[in-house]
Amino acid sequence: MRFTLRSERLREACRKKSLQVLTGKAKEDGRLNQTQKEQADNQKKQQAKEQEQTQNKKVLDQKEQWFVSAKKADFKAIGKKFGIDPVTARIIRNRDIIGDEAIAAYLACTREELHDPHLLKDADQGAAILQQKIAEHKKIRVIGDYDIDGVNASYILLTGLSRCGAAADHVIPDRVRDGYGINCSMITKALEDRIDTIVTCDNGISAIEEIAFAKESGMTVIITDHHEVPFSVDDDGQKAYKVPPADAVINPKQPDCTYPYKGLCGAAVAWKLIQVLYGRMGICAEESFSMIAHVGFATVGDVMELTGENRMLVKLGLKAIHETENPGLLALILQNGLQREQIRSWHFGFVLGPCINASGRLDTAKRSLQLLMEPTLEKASQLARELVELNDRRKSLTLEGLEQAREQIVQQRIYEDKVMVVYLPQCHESLAGIIAGRIREQYHRPIFVLTDAEDGGVKGSGRSIEAYSMYEEMTKCDALMTKYGGHPMAAGLSMPKENMEQFRRELNAKTSLTDEDFIEKIHIDVPMPLYYIRIPLIREFACLEPYGKGNEKPVFAVRDVHPLRADIVGKNKNVTRLLLEDGAGGSMDAVYFGDPEAFRIFLCEKSSEEQAAALFRGQPQNIRFSITYDPSIDAYQGRERVQVVIRHYC
């Protein structure tokens, strides 16, 4: 009995032990399966990364060609006449600024160089209509856009109309619900609200049917826009432009508009109209310049070319923002850890601008407009803090979408297409343009990023290269799209989902792009040895600012530099620091903010792994390579010294 009981207990203990073993094994198997799954996922990601790196290397191997700009002039004579270094004179000549008058205007960049707003077609007519409507106490509604240009243009129109005593309000479309620009539901709502006059800004030139509906409904419509005027092409290749039937259409890109400069942003066009209106209302023209900071902000933020009048507007805008008392602008600057005196065009484009755009992307652009119009710094600070937080969230979502796009491009071999079309169904549609821009930079070819829309179709944004006029190319397959518009370098569109593949095929079949167009051209302004760089010269280069599209930072180059030592620094070990000598008596500190590993591989392939290792140990070696660079002033503990920032190497 005792034996039987002991046996039963033994069997029970064994059963429990077996169960524990089996359970443990199952758990271990589960852990192994999970580990194996993670390993497989990691291996898949690693393979995709290696594929991308291989493809990127192929792209990099052929995507850059270096050229020295060799435009002729007597640089010494120009330098002597204008009190600048011959190097600065050469850079100005490379920007096609020719003749004493043009050089003086480029260097001075004063208000007197701005074009007369009355030269804009329909500006006088539009201002006359507004003057009459204000006198009759008619309700006016401003309909803007949800990006930085549309928000600032709305601010300018509302501020200007208010100063003139107008009964004006505003509507900004919701990016997801309404899409881009004015639509029929907005017009219907305006009729319900007893609005008499609609003024568009940064939109309207493509809204032919919508404007026709407003006019048929008895409304007055004034369009202020800067986008391309829609057109069709006949069998002979002639363009037939289609202008909406508004009471006034103010857009310098109209073929019959004689305004001298065609590249204004939407906010600048709106500002020009307000200037004309102020003149009719007897308001001093000086008052309009209280909004010039917003014009400059929008010009950079909307990536307009900083040539001609645009460069003047941005330079004047930067000067104004250094003294601004606008609570919204001040709060946004402070929330980004800056002071107003520090703001440069770079901050417009890459720090402040993305915060304004973030609300239109992930929330509502009304919040950004509210910030600009807010009269108290306390409330403005709260709004600015919310916009900065939204922008941080936008950055995170952008990185996710960018990673998905890169994987798709490699796995589906999309990089073999001359015009790339990427479909990211889960991506927030507002991020498509940003992702397209990043991919365009990487592959240097036109790209459209499409994502699912609420109506069951797809929406998307495109970013282009200089050799491909995106809007014009889209007109060749307009039957596939329900709506589209934009510039040569950027565009937006909507289409039925089933048309995506046909859209990709037609874009590629109808393009005339060649392999040569995909090779990025690096134009070197001045081959300049390191010994020539001096702090006074670097300070003098400030006269060339503001920098941006069309007026890029000057590119300097030096051949066959010899690195004496190198090391990887920074919190994330993502910066390469070097000491360079150029063989002409100059040696200088240098930093490179690009991929340190790619740079190390380049050095190994250029010489050998042993030579590269010696360099990073500070030991003698025979490495030589050429660089393009920015000269800069490094200030540390009150001491200033010159260093160069490496941009490209070969």
Side-chain angles (χ1 to χ4, degrees):
M1 185 72 170
R2 187 179 299 124
F3 177 79
T4 304
L5 184 60
R6 186 169 178 269
S7 298
E8 287 176 354
R9 287 174 178 169
L10 183 62
R11 282 197 297 270
E12 178 64 17
C14 288
R15 188 186 70 79
K16 288 182 178 179
K17 182 66 175 174
S18 298
L19 185 60
Q20 288 173 352
V21 170
L22 289 171
T23 303
K25 187 175 186 303
K27 287 180 179 178
E28 181 63 25
D29 287 345
R31 282 195 294 270
L32 284 171
N33 289 338
Q34 181 64 27
T35 302
Q36 289 169 350
K37 184 176 183 301
E38 288 174 358
Q39 288 174 342
D41 288 344
N42 290 335
Q43 186 176 10
K44 186 177 178 182
K45 287 180 181 178
Q46 183 62 28
Q47 288 173 345
K49 187 175 181 180
E50 289 172 359
Q51 277 184 293
E52 183 180 0
Q53 287 174 343
T54 302
Q55 177 57 27
N56 285 347
K57 188 175 186 308
K58 290 179 183 177
V59 172
L60 287 169
D61 286 344
Q62 54 132 30
K63 82 168 188 175
E64 287 183 4
Q65 287 182 354
W66 293 16
F67 299 90
V68 176
S69 296
K71 297 176 180 178
K72 304 296 184 182
D74 189 341
F75 303 123
K76 286 185 178 179
I78 294 172
K80 185 176 180 180
K81 183 162 192 172
F82 291 96
I84 56 178
D85 192 281
V87 167
T88 307
R90 180 169 178 169
I91 295 165
I92 292 173
R93 173 63 185 89
N94 286 345
R95 305 294 181 266
D96 291 323
I97 311 300
I98 304 169
D100 290 353
E101 186 177 341
I103 294 171
Y106 181 89
L107 292 171
C109 220
T110 61
R111 294 182 185 183
E112 288 70 32
E113 305 299 326
L114 298 177
H115 298 305
D116 184 348
H118 295 274
L119 296 175
L120 274 169
K121 181 179 183 292
D122 283 1
D124 284 298
Q125 185 173 332
I129 292 170
L130 290 172
Q131 183 183 24
Q132 180 183 351
K133 299 298 183 181
I134 292 168
E136 294 172 353
H137 305 291
K138 300 292 187 182
K139 288 185 176 182
I140 300 170
R141 176 160 292 172
V142 173
I143 297 183
D145 188 26
Y146 38 66
D147 70 356
I148 184 172
D149 192 14
V151 168
N152 278 283
S154 297
Y155 168 83
I156 288 167
L157 285 177
L158 288 167
T159 302
L161 288 169
S162 176
R163 174 66 181 87
C164 293
D169 65 9
H170 70 277
V171 168
I172 294 182
D174 181 275
R175 184 186 288 264
V176 176
R177 186 183 64 248
D178 299 313
Y180 167 74
I182 189 172
N183 59 45
C184 289
S185 64
M186 290 180 188
I187 295 167
T188 301
K189 183 66 168 63
L191 289 168
E192 293 172 358
D193 295 341
R194 299 183 180 277
I195 298 296
D196 175 87
T197 300
I198 286 175
V199 184
T200 74
C201 54
D202 195 31
N203 76 93
I205 197 66
S206 299
I208 296 171
E209 294 179 3
E210 292 83 354
I211 302 301
F213 170 57
K215 290 302 301 170
E216 290 165 4
S217 302
M219 301 187 78
T220 299
V221 181
I222 298 170
I223 293 174
T224 73
D225 201 353
H226 73 122
H227 290 92
E228 299 292 333
V229 180
F231 63 85
S232 58
V233 181
D234 61 24
D235 295 337
D236 297 325
Q238 298 297 312
K239 294 178 181 178
Y241 289 93
K242 306 171 186 177
V243 179
D247 297 270
V249 179
I250 308 163
N251 183 339
K253 288 185 178 168
Q254 294 178 91
D256 56 346
C257 179
T258 58
Y259 194 76
Y261 187 78
K262 303 293 185 181
L264 298 176
C265 71
V269 175
W271 182 65
K272 295 279 183 177
L273 173 61
I274 292 300
Q275 284 190 303
V276 177
L277 178 61
Y278 275 14
R280 296 187 70 93
M281 300 293 291
I283 298 172
C284 177
E286 179 70 22
E287 284 199 37
S288 68
F289 283 88
S290 66
M291 298 178 278
I292 193 71
H294 298 272
V295 178
F297 191 11
T299 300
V300 176
D302 211 35
V303 201
M304 298 291 99
E305 291 218 356
L306 298 193
T307 58
E309 189 172 31
N310 274 351
R311 180 173 170 273
M312 299 175 196
L313 290 169
V314 173
K315 195 151 191 170
L316 292 169
L318 285 167
K319 184 178 179 181
I321 207 168
H322 293 162
E323 303 168 355
T324 187
E325 297 297 335
N326 179 284
L329 287 176
L330 277 174
L332 190 60
I333 291 167
L334 295 172
Q335 285 296 323
N336 279 283
L338 299 165
Q339 297 296 322
R340 60 186 179 182
E341 297 81 7
Q342 294 177 271
I343 303 303
R344 298 290 181 268
S345 57
W346 184 85
H347 297 104
F348 275 166
F350 296 99
V351 180
L352 307 179
C355 295
I356 295 292
N357 279 334
S359 68
R361 295 184 190 282
L362 302 182
D363 185 33
T364 169
K366 294 175 185 176
R367 191 181 297 193
S368 290
L369 182 55
Q370 184 184 354
L371 171 73
L372 298 183
M373 310 245 357
E374 176 54 47
T376 69
L377 187 58
E378 182 180 1
K379 177 63 175 174
S381 297
Q382 178 185 337
L383 290 167
R385 185 164 52 251
E386 292 170 358
L387 293 185
V388 171
E389 290 170 356
L390 270 175
N391 191 45
D392 289 339
R393 181 178 162 221
R394 188 273 308 165
K395 290 177 185 176
S396 176
L397 292 172
T398 299
L399 288 175
E400 290 178 18
L402 186 59
E403 186 65 27
Q404 293 169 10
R406 285 171 170 164
E407 287 181 10
Q408 188 179 132
I409 287 168
V410 172
Q411 291 170 3
Q412 299 180 17
R413 304 178 71 87
I414 295 172
Y415 54 77
E416 295 179 351
D417 286 346
K418 291 182 176 180
V419 184
M420 299 195 292
V421 179
V422 173
Y423 174 49
L424 303 176
Q426 303 303 318
C427 175
H428 195 288
E429 65 182 59
S430 67
L431 305 179
I434 302 175
I435 294 169
R438 300 277 182 86
I439 298 296
R440 185 265 316 274
E441 290 173 6
Q442 181 176 345
Y443 286 91
H444 197 67
R445 60 187 59 207
I447 176 169
F448 291 87
V449 174
L450 306 177
T451 185
D452 284 347
E454 285 194 337
D455 61 4
V458 293
K459 283 184 176 180
S461 292
R463 296 295 182 268
S464 195
I465 59 177
E466 295 292 342
Y468 188 82
S469 180
M470 185 158 271
Y471 177 80
E472 193 158 343
E473 292 294 316
M474 291 169 72
T475 63
K476 297 177 182 178
C477 48
D478 61 352
L480 297 173
M481 296 172 283
T482 53
K483 195 174 184 180
Y484 69 99
H487 309 286
M489 296 297 291
L493 70 150
S494 302
M495 71 171 67
K497 189 178 294 187
E498 59 269 20
N499 288 358
M500 282 194 299
E501 180 57 26
Q502 183 66 20
F503 179 67
R504 183 194 68 80
R505 286 199 301 266
E506 287 197 20
L507 285 174
N508 281 278
K510 295 177 179 180
T511 185
S512 57
L513 286 169
T514 65
D515 290 343
E516 183 72 16
D517 294 323
F518 304 134
I519 300 174
E520 185 178 3
K521 312 299 190 294
I522 307 299
H523 293 279
I524 297 164
D525 284 291
V526 186
M528 188 165 71
L530 300 180
Y531 75 83
Y532 195 82
I533 306 171
R534 307 175 306 281
I535 287 178
L537 179 61
I538 297 173
R539 295 199 196 284
E540 182 178 291
F541 291 153
C543 73
L544 305 170
E545 297 183 33
Y547 299 129
K549 182 185 174 187
N551 190 55
E552 285 83 5
K553 291 185 74 172
V555 179
F556 302 94
V558 58
R559 183 191 297 274
D560 294 333
V561 294
H562 173 45
L564 300 177
R565 64 172 182 266
D567 57 342
I568 308 300
V569 298
K571 181 180 178 181
N572 299 315
K573 296 295 181 182
N574 58 352
V575 178
T576 306
R577 185 173 60 193
L578 307 100
L579 177 65
L580 303 176
E581 66 174 11
D582 61 7
S587 64
M588 191 165 293
D589 289 328
V591 291
Y592 176 60
F593 294 104
D595 185 346
E597 180 61 17
F599 182 61
R600 189 192 66 79
I601 292 170
F602 160 76
L603 294 174
C604 292
E605 293 176 348
K606 168 73 177 170
S607 52
S608 68
E609 290 190 15
E610 292 77 13
Q611 291 269 299
L615 169 64
F616 282 92
R617 289 195 300 265
Q619 297 174 343
Q621 32 66 40
N622 298 314
I623 296 173
R624 299 286 190 282
F625 56 92
S626 299
I627 61 170
T628 70
Y629 66 87
D630 294 328
S632 65
I633 301 171
D634 181 33
Y636 180 69
Q637 293 184 343
R639 298 181 62 185
E640 292 183 334
R641 61 190 177 93
V642 176
Q643 70 173 12
V644 298
V645 178
I646 297 172
R647 294 171 67 169
H648 309 88
Y649 53 83
C650 76

